[in-house]
């Protein structure tokens, strides 16, 4: 019988799990490695903001404040999380500065979880180590635990660049004003130069790299144009399609929810799909045609893939504010289908031979999950060998791990809503209010769902992503 539930990570997924488990009557202990809650919203670069509208990105039973802007900042998101904690009275469940370093299955069920607790007032002190016994463990660490770094071998000359005063840093580390510190240090170093402007190169063309680069490009004339270097152009969209249709009408449209039809569609859903598919397909193709013209006109490069193979998924992002005006003012310069071949004392040389002067190189090369706290035998059970992804029954539990659940692996345009429903379903599952299927039934469903994803998106599809189908996902739970 489950009495004590441990929750690993107190980002938005961990908050939903803590609240729902506490509400269900379990004793909950939630560990967060950072000094504050919020996960990636707390430990993030300064200019992170929500790219979904606030009305479409909130806990299902707790809307965002009316006075928030349409796209709240990271600080506003963390304030919203604190308000959520206070409203539901779950503060006593949360332990900050506590990092999960190990979790071992117990004989007879449950887990022994090892925690390292640090003292924020004494950062050099040795962390306190303590073991906790829990009957069920909810992994809410998510997929953005650490930076995804290029190998040192792929960045020859980096040591010489840094020895000459250059900075190479991943967006993961640009929190607590660190970017401004790096910029000020660079300005002091270049004070005696004829051209005193700060020169920045961003490696990568995802959301984090775009946010950081565009935030710098618009400051003042003490900055040289920001150069973006990336191998593959990405699909993204301006806030308004064709200048007058808001993107929500495309991304959140009911027609998009059935393009393609959801896993195991009902007869009605199949009928709706067949009737609306021609209209939806024409809209998507027109959208793609317009985006390709838009990408060519601004010089970012056109993706090799069709928008149908990338939409609607979690890799699709919203164009940053002032992006087009910065391009028009030549504050942003793009080098698509390229890469950094080497560093030298004054900057970088690209694969095509282009030399770029640089003082700061921002690595916007993505993020990755952390499984180091799980024994290798357990990792082998949950991480699929063919594609390296986490495939779960209903995106929440694994048939071979009856004492562990996963919340935070339901990435969507409204991730918070999906986290909330997944946590609610999991609490009902633990209380016996949801039928517990056999291992064979769960594996059959899991594999059928995986085959459906691969047939639609190909084998490189991101398993945790339910974007574009979140209505059906929440409904099924």
């Amino acid at each position: 019988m489950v009495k004590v539930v441990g929750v690993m990570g107190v980002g938005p997924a961990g908050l939903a799990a803590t609240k729902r488990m506490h509400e269900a009557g379990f004793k909950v202990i939630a560990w967060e490695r950072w000094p504050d809650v919020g996960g990636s919203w707390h430990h993030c670069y300064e200019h992170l903001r929500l790219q979904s509208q606030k009305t479409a990105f909130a806990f299902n039973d707790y809307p965002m404040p009316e006075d928030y802007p349409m796209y709240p900042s990271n600080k506003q998101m963390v304030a919203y999380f604190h308000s959520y904690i206070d409203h539901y009275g779950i503060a006593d469940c949360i332990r900050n500065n506590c990092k999960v370093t190990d979790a071992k299955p117990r004989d007879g069920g449950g887990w022994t979880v090892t925690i390292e607790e640090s003292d924020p007032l004494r950062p050099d002190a040795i962390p306190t180590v303590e073991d906790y016994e829990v009957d069920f463990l909810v992994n809410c660490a998510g997929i953005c635990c650490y930076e995804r770094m290029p190998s040192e071998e792929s960045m020859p000359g980096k040591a010489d660049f840094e020895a000459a005063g250059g900075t190479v840093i991943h967006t993961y580390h640009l929190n607590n004003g660190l970017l401004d510190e790096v910029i000020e240090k660079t300005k002091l170093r270049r004070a005696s130069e004829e051209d005193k402007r700060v020169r920045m190169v961003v490696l990568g063309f995802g959301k984090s790299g775009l946010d950081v680069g565009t935030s710098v490009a618009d400051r003042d004339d003490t900055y040289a144009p920001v150069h973006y270097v990336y191998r593959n152009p990405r699909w993204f969209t301006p806030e308004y399609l064709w200048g007058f249709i808001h993107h929500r009408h495309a991304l959140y449209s009911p027609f998009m929810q059935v393009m393609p039809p959801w896993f195991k569609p009902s007869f009605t859903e199949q009928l709706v799909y067949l009737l609306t598919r021609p209209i939806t397909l024409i809209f998507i193709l027109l959208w793609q045609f317009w985006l390709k013209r838009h990408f060519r006109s601004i010089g970012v490069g056109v993706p090799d893939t069709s928008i149908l193979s990338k939409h609607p998924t979690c890799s699709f992002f919203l164009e940053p504010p002032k992006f087009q005006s910065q391009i028009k003012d030549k504050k942003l310069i793009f080098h698509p289908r390229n890469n950094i071949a080497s560093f030298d004392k004054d900057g970088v040389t690209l694969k095509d031979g282009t030399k770029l002067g640089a003082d700061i190189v921002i690595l916007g090369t993505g993020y990755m999950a952390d499984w180091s706290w799980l024994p290798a035998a357990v990792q082998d059970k949950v991480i699929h060998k063919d594609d390296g992804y986490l495939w779960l029954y209903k995106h929440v539990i694994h048939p071979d791990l009856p004492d562990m659940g996963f919340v935070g692996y339901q990435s969507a345009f409204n991730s918070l809503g999906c986290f909330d429903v997944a946590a609610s379903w999991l609490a009902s599952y633990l209380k016996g209010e949801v039928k517990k299927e056999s291992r064979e039934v769960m594996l059959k469903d899991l594999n059928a769902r995986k085959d459906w994803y691969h047939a639609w998106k190909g084998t490189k599809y991101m398993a945790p992503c339910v974007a574009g189908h979140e209505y059906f996902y929440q409904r099924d739970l």
Side-chain angles (χ1 to χ4, degrees):
M1 181 178 178
V2 175
K3 293 183 179 179
V4 182
V5 175
V7 176
M8 177 186 169
V10 193
L15 286 173
T18 300
K19 181 254 187 180
R20 292 296 184 180
M21 295 297 172
H22 181 263
E23 197 174 57
F26 299 112
K27 179 183 177 181
V28 184
I29 309 170
W31 303 287
E32 172 54 54
R33 61 177 169 147
W34 301 116
D36 202 353
V37 300
S40 297
W41 286 102
H42 161 66
H43 183 85
C44 63
Y45 51 91
E46 295 290 313
H47 302 279
L48 176 62
R49 69 165 193 153
L50 190 63
Q51 63 172 355
S52 297
Q53 290 181 308
K54 67 174 183 179
T55 53
F57 193 91
F59 296 113
N60 293 327
D61 54 358
Y62 197 71
M64 288 197 196
E66 291 184 4
D67 61 350
Y68 268 24
M70 191 57 71
Y71 305 100
S73 68
N74 61 311
K75 292 180 180 178
Q76 289 170 321
M77 291 298 297
V78 172
Y80 167 67
F81 296 146
H82 277 286
S83 175
Y84 181 83
I85 291 170
D86 294 340
H87 182 78
Y88 290 108
I90 56 175
D92 291 342
C93 301
I94 299 169
R95 311 282 190 273
N96 289 112
N97 301 299
C98 291
K99 180 181 179 181
V100 175
T101 58
D102 194 21
K104 289 186 172 65
R106 298 185 312 197
D107 293 337
W111 298 82
T112 299
V113 183
T114 302
I115 302 297
E116 284 188 359
E117 183 174 2
S118 59
D119 184 347
L121 300 178
R122 299 168 59 212
D124 297 329
I126 298 175
T128 302
V129 179
E130 185 175 356
D131 287 340
Y132 288 81
E133 304 296 328
V134 300
D135 302 313
F136 193 89
L137 182 60
V138 189
N139 178 0
C140 301
I143 57 176
C144 296
C145 299
Y146 292 102
E147 70 274 34
R148 188 182 299 278
M149 291 287 291
S151 66
E152 289 295 321
E153 292 77 13
S154 69
M155 298 187 289
K158 174 172 167 285
D160 293 336
F161 174 73
E162 292 176 323
T167 300
V168 180
I169 189 167
H170 196 281
T171 56
Y172 173 82
H173 296 289
L174 296 178
N175 60 319
N176 298 323
L178 183 57
L179 178 60
D180 289 334
E181 291 181 22
V182 171
I183 288 172
E184 289 307 312
K185 182 187 76 171
T186 302
K187 286 182 176 180
L188 288 174
R189 183 170 66 85
R190 294 189 61 81
S192 60
E193 301 286 337
E194 183 177 347
D195 183 356
K196 298 178 173 57
R197 296 180 301 168
V198 175
R199 303 168 300 171
M200 179 181 289
V201 171
V202 179
L203 180 63
F205 196 62
K207 176 171 169 51
S208 64
L210 277 180
D211 282 348
V212 172
T214 54
S215 72
V216 168
D218 211 44
R219 291 189 179 187
D220 54 49
D221 58 4
T222 61
Y223 298 86
V226 175
H227 289 262
Y228 282 93
V229 179
Y230 47 98
R231 291 178 298 181
N232 300 309
R234 300 275 295 275
W235 287 111
F236 62 92
T237 185
E239 184 172 8
Y240 288 90
L241 282 60
W242 294 284
F244 65 94
I245 299 177
H246 198 276
H247 73 281
R248 71 176 182 273
H249 298 304
L251 297 182
Y252 309 133
S253 164
F255 296 107
M256 288 299 194
Q257 296 280 316
V258 292
M259 183 66 186
W262 176 235
F263 175 68
K264 292 183 178 179
S266 66
F267 172 79
T268 302
E269 290 163 3
Q270 287 180 313
L271 183 61
V272 170
Y273 168 68
L274 290 173
L275 292 175
T276 61
R277 186 177 187 273
I279 299 173
T280 306
L281 186 59
I282 289 171
F283 174 81
I284 291 177
L285 292 176
L286 287 173
W287 186 15
Q288 175 175 283
F289 177 76
W290 177 75
L291 282 178
K292 284 184 175 181
R293 289 190 62 185
H294 174 60
F295 291 167
R296 290 190 185 101
S297 69
I298 61 178
V300 298
V302 176
D304 295 326
T305 56
S306 164
I307 195 172
L308 287 169
S309 69
K310 287 294 181 183
H311 174 74
T313 77
C314 304
S315 64
F316 204 83
F317 58 90
L318 184 63
E319 195 174 87
K322 301 181 181 180
F323 184 64
Q324 295 187 42
S325 63
Q326 290 174 341
I327 294 173
K328 184 178 180 180
D329 295 338
K330 299 183 178 179
K331 294 181 178 180
L332 305 177
I333 298 175
F334 304 99
H335 304 270
R337 296 184 173 85
N338 220 321
N339 205 346
I340 294 177
S342 63
F343 289 76
D344 58 45
K345 293 181 179 180
D346 191 52
V348 298
T349 301
L350 306 187
K351 290 286 187 181
D352 66 358
T354 302
K355 293 184 179 293
L356 301 176
D359 306 296
I360 304 170
V361 175
I362 302 293
L363 301 179
T365 48
Y367 298 79
M368 58 192 297
D370 175 27
W371 300 103
S372 61
W373 53 278
L374 268 181
V378 178
Q379 291 186 43
D380 289 341
K381 289 181 180 180
V382 298
I383 307 299
H384 203 271
K385 293 182 174 61
D386 291 346
D387 53 26
Y389 287 139
L390 181 72
W391 291 97
L392 303 168
Y393 176 67
K394 294 187 181 296
H395 291 271
V396 181
I397 55 177
H398 193 280
D400 293 326
L401 286 179
D403 301 325
M404 180 179 287
F406 298 80
V407 178
Y409 299 85
Q410 302 84 15
S411 301
F413 295 127
N414 181 13
S415 293
L416 270 62
C418 290
F419 297 163
D420 191 30
V421 170
S424 179
W425 182 89
L426 187 58
S428 298
Y429 177 85
L430 294 182
K431 291 181 69 177
E433 297 172 352
V434 173
K435 180 183 177 182
K436 294 188 177 182
E437 301 288 0
S438 67
R439 176 180 182 275
E440 290 71 25
V441 169
M442 287 194 286
L443 279 175
K444 183 178 179 181
D445 181 271
L446 184 157
N447 287 324
R449 189 182 300 260
K450 177 164 66 70
D451 291 342
W452 172 76
Y453 275 127
H454 284 172
W456 170 36
K457 304 295 294 182
T459 55
K460 293 188 179 298
Y461 183 67
M462 181 178 168
C465 186
V466 296
H469 289 114
E470 45 222 84
Y471 164 76
F472 295 103
Y473 176 70
Q474 293 192 39
R475 182 207 60 186
D476 288 355
L477 290 182

